[in-house]
């Protein structure tokens, strides 16, 4: 049990030295800064490009537009960058054989998987919370209205989705021999989930709903209870995937 | 033109951190490109151009795909 904190420290050090944490933090912060900016500037850009020929009166941007941008950026581009950055987390070590020494000296394999998962989760929570706070601050400053009452409730599903998504990445990375096939696995899973989302009956159970319904919850048109099944499925799937990753690694030749 | 300046000044609190973050990312990547002359593909000049010209995307592509094995240097 004492090996887990040690391995966790190794993982955190690794993510720092390989610049993964830095890149993700910068990218997410830029997304967070862009969201209120794009929301504010869209009408101006339209006016500049169309001039007076634009007949309709454009509605003034509100905090709703700002948060819509935020969830669109993070939910599409953001998680893709996360997948690219972390797809090699296990497969690189398997490919290079850096785990051989540790495991033959008696390091349990589940410690490897768990330390990696905890380090991924920590990074996700820190980076996402930071970018959320940035968008929150700027949105409150530039859009002082009350159209988005449930900001925290809308944010919670995104955090939970990370639990699921990182478990998918870790499992795919454990299966794969290089980071590209790990990435492919993650993309396939997301593709399947988006396909499942076409069926209305399954929507509230689908983890994808956690990155799709944030705006509805933030505005108060949908309650968090409605997507609670999706959250439960996401958490359960995350636990199963981590256990699965341990099982796969146990059979894997290092 | 006057209008654009007004916009720029009005949103300076957003522009400044964005520019700082982009520059920080670019400089980190640039230093890494110069210090580690082994790449998975491409050469030094190619990566310098990519990192400097393509803001945000360039450094990400470099760290994700272009960076060579650290153990080799």
């Amino acid at each position: 049990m004492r090996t887990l904190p040690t391995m966790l420290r190794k993982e955190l050090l690794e993510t720092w030295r390989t610049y993964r944490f830095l890149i993700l933090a910068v990218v997410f912060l830029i997304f967070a800064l862009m969201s209120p900016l794009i929301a504010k500037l869209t009408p101006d850009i339209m006016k500049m490009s169309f001039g007076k020929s634009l007949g309709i009166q454009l509605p003034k941007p509100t905090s709703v537009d700002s948060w819509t941008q935020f969830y669109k950026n993070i939910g599409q581009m953001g998680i893709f960058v996360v997948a690219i950055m972390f797809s090699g987390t296990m497969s690189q070590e398997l490919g290079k054989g850096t785990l051989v020494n540790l495991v033959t000296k008696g390091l349990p394999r589940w410690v490897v998987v768990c330390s990696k998962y905890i380090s991924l989760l920590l990074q996700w929570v820190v980076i996402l919370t930071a970018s959320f706070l940035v968008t929150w601050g700027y949105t409150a400053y530039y859009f002082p209205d009350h159209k988005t009452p449930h900001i925290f409730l809308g944010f919670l599903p995104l955090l939970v989705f990370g639990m699921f998504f990182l478990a998918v990445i870790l499992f795919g990375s454990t299966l794969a021999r290089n980071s590209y096939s790990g990435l492919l696995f993650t993309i396939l899973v997301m593709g399947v989930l988006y396909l499942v989302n076409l069926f209305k009956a399954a929507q509230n159970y689908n983890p994808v709903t956690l990155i799709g319904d944030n705006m509805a919850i933030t505005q108060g048109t949908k309650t968090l209870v409605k997507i609670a099944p999706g959250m439960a499925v996401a958490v359960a799937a995350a636990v199963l995937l981590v256990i699965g990753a341990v099982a796969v690694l146990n059979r894997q030749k290092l | 033109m006057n209008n654009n300046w007004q916009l720029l000044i009005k949103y300076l609190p957003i522009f400044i951190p964005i520019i700082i973050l982009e520059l920080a990312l670019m400089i980190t990547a640039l230093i890494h490109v110069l210090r580690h002359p082994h790449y998975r593909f491409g050469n030094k000049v190619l990566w310098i151009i990519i990192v400097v010209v393509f803001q945000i995307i360039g450094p990400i592509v470099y760290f994700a795909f272009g960076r060579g094995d650290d153990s080799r240097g």
Side-chain angles (χ1 to χ4, degrees), chain A residues 18-19 22-23 26-27 29-30 33-34 36-37 40-41 44 48 84-85 96 138 142 180, chain B residues 4 7 10-11 13-15 17-18 21-22 25 28 32 40 56 60 63-65 67 69:
Chain A
T18 54
Y19 300 96
L22 181 91
I23 294 169
V26 169
V27 168
L29 284 178
I30 287 177
L33 289 162
M34 295 276 248
L37 186 68
K40 202 83 184 177
L41 289 187
D44 286 316
M48 265 178 226
I84 290 178
M85 280 293 137
K96 282 195 226 159
Y138 278 106
Y142 281 113
Y180 300 112
Chain B
N4 288 358
L7 270 183
K10 193 172 171 199
Y11 298 113
I14 296 188
F15 280 123
I18 290 184
L21 285 173
E22 281 183 356
L25 199 60
T28 321
H32 200 278
R40 239 172 265 168
I56 311 175
I60 294 177
F63 279 117
F65 304 113
R67 170 174 48 190
D69 217 331

Side-chain angles (χ1 to χ4, degrees), chain A:
Chain A
M1 211 45 210
R2 285 223 318 278
T3 46
L4 189 59
T6 318
M7 282 302 281
L8 186 59
R9 258 193 50 207
K10 172 242 167 210
E11 286 302 326
L12 293 176
L13 200 63
E14 183 182 342
T15 197
W16 179 253
R17 295 237 173 109
T18 54
Y19 300 96
R20 286 193 192 124
F21 180 79
L22 181 91
I23 294 169
L24 277 182
V26 169
V27 168
F28 272 61
L29 284 178
I30 287 177
F31 281 152
L33 289 162
M34 295 276 248
S35 303
L37 186 68
I38 290 175
K40 202 83 184 177
L41 289 187
T42 304
D44 286 316
I45 294 168
M46 298 275 275
K47 231 182 278 166
M48 265 178 226
S49 42
F50 291 110
K52 289 210 171 79
S53 62
L54 195 67
I56 50 163
Q57 187 71 38
L58 288 164
K60 247 176 109 75
T62 62
S63 58
V64 176
D65 297 295
S66 178
W67 285 110
T68 308
Q69 284 293 334
F70 177 74
Y71 287 118
K72 212 178 74 188
N73 283 340
I74 304 284
Q76 292 168 3
M77 284 288 285
I79 61 166
F80 190 62
V81 177
V82 170
I84 290 178
M85 280 293 137
F86 290 142
S87 57
T89 180
M90 189 71 90
S91 54
Q92 261 175 16
E93 299 222 43
L94 292 175
K96 282 195 226 159
T98 40
L99 285 175
V100 175
N101 271 333
L102 301 170
V103 170
T104 46
K105 298 251 156 126
L107 180 77
R109 296 188 181 197
W110 66 266
V111 172
V112 177
V113 174
C114 287
S115 64
K116 280 188 188 297
Y117 186 60
I118 293 171
S119 111
L120 293 182
L121 260 188
L122 277 179
Q123 294 174 65
W124 170 257
V125 171
V126 168
I127 290 173
L128 201 65
T129 311
S131 56
F132 170 76
L133 290 176
V134 167
T135 302
W136 188 28
Y138 278 106
T139 305
Y141 176 68
Y142 281 113
F143 304 95
D145 56 30
H146 300 286
K147 293 189 170 151
T148 47
H150 304 298
I151 291 169
F152 286 106
L153 293 183
F155 176 61
L156 191 66
L158 190 60
L159 271 181
V160 176
F161 179 80
M163 276 183 76
F164 167 75
F165 193 64
L166 293 171
V168 172
I169 293 174
L170 188 58
F171 185 76
S173 187
T174 313
L175 273 182
R177 275 282 144 173
N178 57 52
S179 49
Y180 300 112
S181 30
L183 187 61
L184 197 67
F185 177 80
T186 310
I187 293 172
L188 274 179
V189 169
M190 287 310 286
V192 169
L193 287 181
Y194 274 115
L195 275 182
V196 172
N197 220 28
L198 293 177
F199 300 99
K200 260 211 141 70
Q203 267 172 12
N204 283 339
Y205 293 91
N206 195 331
V208 164
T209 192
L210 301 180
I211 51 169
D213 287 341
N214 308 75
M215 269 329 284
I217 294 168
T218 308
Q219 284 174 268
T221 51
K222 197 166 186 174
T223 55
L224 198 61
V225 183
K226 263 250 165 89
I227 64 161
M231 279 182 159
V233 169
V235 173
V239 173
L240 284 180
L241 281 167
V242 172
I243 295 172
V246 175
V248 170
L249 191 65
N250 277 337
R251 289 177 188 206
Q252 199 80 272
K253 245 179 70 188
L254 291 177

